[in-house]
Amino acid sequence: MAEADLLDLDLDGLTALVAELGQPTFRARQVWRQIWQRGTLDPQEMSDLPRALREQLAERIAPPPAATATQTSEDGSTTKALLPLADGEMVETVLIRHDPHAQAGSRVSPTARRTVCLSTQAGCAMGCTFCATGAQGFRRQLSVGEVLVQALLARSWARAEGGELTHVVFMGMGEPLANYEVVSAALERLSDADGFGLSPRRITVSTVGLPAQMRCLADDHPQVNLAVSLHAAEASLRRELVPVPPATPAEIVAAAREHSERTGRRVTFEYVLLAGVNDSRAQARALADRIAGIRCQVNLIPFNPSADVVGRRPSRRATLGFQQALVERGVAANVRVEKGRDIAAACGQLRGDRVRRDG
Ligand code: SAH
Ligand code: SF4
């Protein structure tokens, strides 16, 4: 067996590896807990294993990617890490701390909600005109281990502060449902009670709107939350803003409705507000009509500028006017409080910035 990436292995794979090393298979579960419960990534530090096994594992497995540049926003709420992968691709991971009881200037408390925003692809093929990741184009899919090491990393930061990682959102670089098998395996792993141990209700997958995969997600992971990035109620505007995926707003909304009916969960529609493009009150009313009757909420995200993307951030007045027009039509709508803009860690700003490649 070639060098294995420990984080890519599921429990069966780990059991096979341990057996191949001539060790009793119950050791596999010990290794599993070390990794996924305690976050020990170096086999030499797995203190409950016999030394021989620690050494065998250390020889056989590739070290997981380690974060290089790590930045924390001025207000302390957001930490972003750049993660160089084995082949030189780069992705970013963001930890967002949300402390409802924080006083201005005080430290984030251990009990704060801590959410990691995971990347699932290097780059993205969907071509959304306003998104820094989209501007790179698609580079490659991440493996399960490459997705999950981000969650382990963010959890280690949370624990170092005396806190815990409480939520996971798949809203980093890439389109999660275009890497469905990997994301599905990652969801499984995150909610494994004998492993990472996060409730699936605390996990959200954000998609640009791929109806077939949205249906699979409802079947395979009915407790996981779904967020659908719609951005336009009307087909031609949607095609301008999100040129690649073929589904129309009507088809995407139908799949979202089905998801909510089948899972009993409330769907979130995300809507990036671009000044003068999709932020008028008439467009808000069209959106409300489009999603009428679905158990849902709308998350309005004022456009975040970054290099290589076009768009203008709407005024506060236009944003609140859009929100009000939705609320008047009975749609629950909120304006996302963006964190980490000063370190380019907010929605749509992730681009793995050390990789200014030519090709
Ligand atoms: N590919 C998935 C998840 C990653 S993007 C998706 O599109 O849903 C996460 C969220 O950031 C999406 O809602 C996306 O529309 C939003 N986003 C992208 N670029 C943005 C920008 N420049 N400003 C604000 N939000 C942006
Ligand atoms: Fe891809 Fe999402 Fe960015 Fe669109 S918004 S390009 S789907 S990452």
Side-chain angles (χ1 to χ4, degrees):
M1 196 163 144
E3 196 178 54
D5 182 339
L6 195 55
L7 300 183
D8 274 329
L9 298 178
D10 60 12
L11 186 54
D12 288 346
L14 192 57
T15 307
L17 175 64
V18 164
E20 200 195 309
L21 295 173
Q23 296 278 347
T25 51
F26 73 87
R27 296 284 183 205
R29 198 168 280 278
Q30 270 178 297
V31 177
W32 186 257
R33 293 200 182 117
Q34 280 283 358
I35 301 168
W36 299 109
Q37 290 183 348
R38 295 201 201 165
T40 316
L41 297 182
D42 179 353
Q44 299 288 12
E45 289 171 14
M46 298 183 179
S47 50
D48 57 344
L49 299 183
R51 181 190 291 205
L53 177 56
R54 281 188 260 159
E55 281 171 5
Q56 285 171 311
L57 284 174
E59 262 173 37
R60 286 295 291 272
I61 59 179
T68 53
T70 305
Q71 289 172 278
T72 295
S73 62
E74 250 166 50
D75 66 359
S77 68
T78 308
T79 301
K80 178 174 88 165
L82 190 65
L83 215 59
L85 307 178
D87 61 352
E89 290 297 341
M90 301 265 194
V91 291
E92 290 179 310
T93 299
V94 180
L95 175 70
I96 305 144
R97 303 168 186 84
H98 177 76
D99 193 348
H101 308 299
Q103 309 285 318
S106 71
R107 285 185 56 228
V108 182
S109 82
T111 55
R113 170 178 171 149
R114 287 176 171 80
T115 303
V116 66
C117 182
L118 300 180
S119 294
T120 56
Q121 302 181 312
C124 182
M126 300 297 152
C128 301
T129 54
F130 46 81
C131 172
T133 308
Q136 290 185 357
F138 177 70
R139 303 199 59 93
R140 74 160 166 86
Q141 304 284 21
L142 299 198
S143 71
V144 185
E146 288 169 338
V147 173
L148 290 173
V149 73
Q150 303 170 54
L152 290 171
L153 178 67
R155 193 179 63 179
S156 74
W157 295 337
R159 288 181 176 174
E161 298 163 2
E164 204 23 272
L165 186 72
T166 59
H167 294 76
V168 171
V169 295
F170 287 77
M171 289 189 190
M173 297 171 71
E175 167 49 40
L177 296 189
N179 192 7
Y180 186 82
E181 292 304 324
V182 160
V183 167
S184 180
L187 292 171
E188 201 77 44
R189 200 81 67 79
L190 288 170
S191 50
D192 172 14
D194 204 26
F196 202 90
L198 194 71
S199 162
R201 295 188 192 85
R202 291 177 165 212
I203 304 176
T204 301
V205 173
S206 175
T207 177
V208 73
L210 307 181
Q213 290 89 329
M214 287 160 70
R215 294 191 178 98
C216 292
L217 193 71
D219 284 339
D220 298 340
H221 304 281
Q223 293 183 313
V224 167
N225 302 295
L226 178 68
V228 181
S229 298
L230 195 59
H231 315 311
E234 189 263 318
S236 64
L237 180 57
R238 160 90 186 178
R239 213 167 19 251
E240 260 174 51
L241 298 175
V242 185
V244 176
T248 62
E251 290 162 345
I252 295 166
V253 168
R257 183 188 302 273
E258 233 177 85
H259 187 282
S260 153
E261 286 171 0
R262 272 158 76 179
T263 64
R265 304 194 70 74
R266 183 154 80 148
V267 174
T268 299
F269 289 103
E270 294 159 285
Y271 192 103
V272 174
L273 281 172
L274 294 146
V277 175
N278 66 352
D279 67 339
S280 74
R281 278 176 165 267
Q283 285 162 320
R285 289 192 290 272
L287 174 63
D289 290 346
R290 173 70 74 200
I291 61 179
I294 303 182
R295 193 151 167 256
C296 71
Q297 62 184 349
V298 173
N299 238 324
L300 300 171
I301 317 174
F303 167 70
N304 290 310
S306 43
D308 298 340
V309 300
V310 282
R312 278 186 304 122
R313 205 172 161 84
S315 66
R316 186 81 190 143
R317 195 157 164 265
T319 302
L320 295 179
F322 196 96
Q323 178 189 24
Q324 195 191 355
L326 290 174
V327 171
E328 278 164 7
R329 297 218 153 189
V331 174
N334 42 60
V335 179
R336 181 167 303 172
V337 181
E338 290 285 0
K339 299 193 170 197
R341 280 173 69 203
D342 59 328
I343 56 166
C347 276
Q349 292 189 318
L350 304 184
R351 48 173 300 130
D353 240 343
R354 290 288 168 75
V355 271
R356 286 297 159 83
R357 287 201 192 80
D358 311 323

